[in-house]
């Protein structure tokens, strides 16, 4: 009886600790952001998010995040395919390097992009000769977003490829289907949930990127000023209301994306 009681008390204490941790680190900060944004009422909130600079920053962030997510869909799918389906020297090292953006401080990633693509670099010099610039313009922002969101699609696709039943693929070949038809009718549908969830997570992560982008964007209002940097500028200008309002807009969008990711994953596991 005492053992059962101790187990129940331990289980209750463990669950309570987890819930307290969740409330303190996630729920309360979210409530604080929403409370701050609506502290002065609906009208100041609306004025903050419809401010021309804020609206342009949000639209620019969404546009570039979509582009970065699409690039990651193409590159991530191909890289995930190669890492699972092919064996070659250095494969394990490349597979471990996929997670480097998660381990590397984003500011270091921004500095790497600045050094590799800046005006004094080889690539930057060639770009200037061709009549365009990379750093301090939209291309550099996209590169930074692609870098920090690089692993999502790859890690979303790999488990699905590993779980794929090879007999279905072999049956398709036996029935006379070409490699292209087999891929698009047998393999790709199995990969699609991972591609979609990875793309949505990459988009959500790109929306909030600050460290890598702030070093390479140029932060020109209306042109290269993204939402995260705009929020930072509003905090520095002592405009907590404006910063909170734009933060709520991005946070709500992220919630919608995460809900969509969970929906895709639940449908996948419900098959």
């Amino acid at each position: 009886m005492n053992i059962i009681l101790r187990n129940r008390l331990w289980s209750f204490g463990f669950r309570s600790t987890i819930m307290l941790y969740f409330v303190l680190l996630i729920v309360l900060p979210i409530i604080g952001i929403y409370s701050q944004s609506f502290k002065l009422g609906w009208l100041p909130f609306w004025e903050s998010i419809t401010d021309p600079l804020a609206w342009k920053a949000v639209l620019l962030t969404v546009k570039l995040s979509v582009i970065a997510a699409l690039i990651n869909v193409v590159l991530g799918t191909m890289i995930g395919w190669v890492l699972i389906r092919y064996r070659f020297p250095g494969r394990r090292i490349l597979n471990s390097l996929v997670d480097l953006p998660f381990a590397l401080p984003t500011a270091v990633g921004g500095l790497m992009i600045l050094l590799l693509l800046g005006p004094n670099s080889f690539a930057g010099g060639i770009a200037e000769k061709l009549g365009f610039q990379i750093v301090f313009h939209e291309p550099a922002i996209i590169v930074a977003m692609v870098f920090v969101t690089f692993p999502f699609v790859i890690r979303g696709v790999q488990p699905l490829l590993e779980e794929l039943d090879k007999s279905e693929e072999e049956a398709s070949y036996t029935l006379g289907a070409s490699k292209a038809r087999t891929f698009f009718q047998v393999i790709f549908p199995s990969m699609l949930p991972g591609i979609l969830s990875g793309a949505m997570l990459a988009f959500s992560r790109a929306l909030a990127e600050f460290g890598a982008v702030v070093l390479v964007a140029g932060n020109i209002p209306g042109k290269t000023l993204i939402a995260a940097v705009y929020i930072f500028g509003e905090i520095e200008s002592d405009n907590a209301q404006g910063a909170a309002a734009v933060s709520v807009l991005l946070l709500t969008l992220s919630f919608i994306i995460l809900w969509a990711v969970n929906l895709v994953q639940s449908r996948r596991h419900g098959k």
Side-chain angles (χ1 to χ4, degrees):
M1 186 69 180
N2 290 333
I3 295 175
I4 296 175
L5 182 61
R6 282 199 299 268
N7 287 337
R8 287 181 177 176
L9 288 173
W10 184 90
S11 178
F12 175 77
F14 180 75
R15 291 197 305 268
S16 300
T17 302
I18 295 298
M19 290 303 298
L20 181 63
Y21 178 85
F22 180 79
V23 169
L24 290 177
L25 292 186
I26 299 178
V27 176
L28 289 182
I30 291 174
I31 293 175
I33 286 290
Y34 276 92
S35 299
Q36 179 65 38
S37 63
F38 291 102
K39 183 178 181 180
L40 302 178
W42 169 257
L43 186 59
F45 171 81
W46 181 253
E47 291 175 349
S48 296
I49 63 173
T50 55
D51 179 87
L53 288 182
W55 191 238
K56 286 180 181 179
V58 171
L59 289 180
L60 178 66
T61 305
V62 171
K63 182 186 78 171
L64 299 183
S65 297
V66 168
I67 296 173
L70 292 176
I71 292 173
N72 270 324
V73 164
V74 177
L75 294 179
T77 303
M78 292 192 296
I79 293 171
W81 174 270
V82 169
L83 290 176
I84 294 298
R85 288 302 183 99
Y86 295 94
R87 297 293 181 270
F88 52 88
R91 172 181 163 273
R92 290 185 178 180
I93 296 176
L94 290 176
N95 190 48
S96 63
L97 288 176
V98 168
D99 294 322
L100 183 62
F102 287 157
L104 196 68
T106 54
V108 176
L111 180 60
M112 290 167 51
I113 295 169
L114 186 63
L115 294 175
L116 291 173
L117 302 178
N120 298 324
S121 66
F122 177 74
I126 293 176
E128 283 192 353
K129 290 180 181 178
L130 295 175
F132 66 93
Q133 293 181 334
I134 301 175
V135 173
F136 309 130
H137 291 77
E138 290 185 7
I141 302 176
I142 295 173
V143 171
M145 288 180 171
V146 169
F147 175 78
V148 298
T149 60
F150 181 69
F152 286 109
V153 175
I154 299 174
R155 295 312 189 206
V157 166
Q158 283 181 318
L160 299 181
L161 286 174
E162 290 174 344
E163 296 170 3
L164 184 64
D165 189 356
K166 292 289 184 69
S167 62
E168 297 180 6
E169 190 177 345
E170 292 170 357
S172 178
Y173 292 135
T174 302
L175 293 173
S178 63
K179 288 185 176 181
R181 187 174 182 182
T182 299
F183 176 80
F184 285 107
Q185 292 189 351
V186 177
I187 300 174
F188 184 74
S190 299
M191 297 167 58
L192 189 57
I195 294 173
L196 291 177
S197 61
M200 287 186 285
L201 287 173
F203 174 73
S204 180
R205 176 68 182 82
L207 280 178
E209 179 50 33
F210 174 78
V213 171
V214 70
L215 296 178
V216 299
N219 307 325
I220 303 172
K223 294 184 178 180
T224 61
L225 180 65
I226 66 167
V229 181
Y230 174 84
I231 292 169
F232 179 74
E234 291 300 291
I235 291 294
E236 284 195 322
S237 302
D238 199 27
N239 183 14
Q241 166 69 27
V246 177
S247 298
V248 161
L249 194 60
L250 296 180
L251 186 60
T252 303
L253 185 55
S254 295
F255 277 140
I256 294 172
I257 294 168
L258 290 176
W259 173 80
V261 170
N262 288 329
L263 182 63
V264 170
Q265 291 178 343
S266 64
R267 287 186 175 180
R268 166 194 159 196
H269 293 303
K271 278 189 173 184

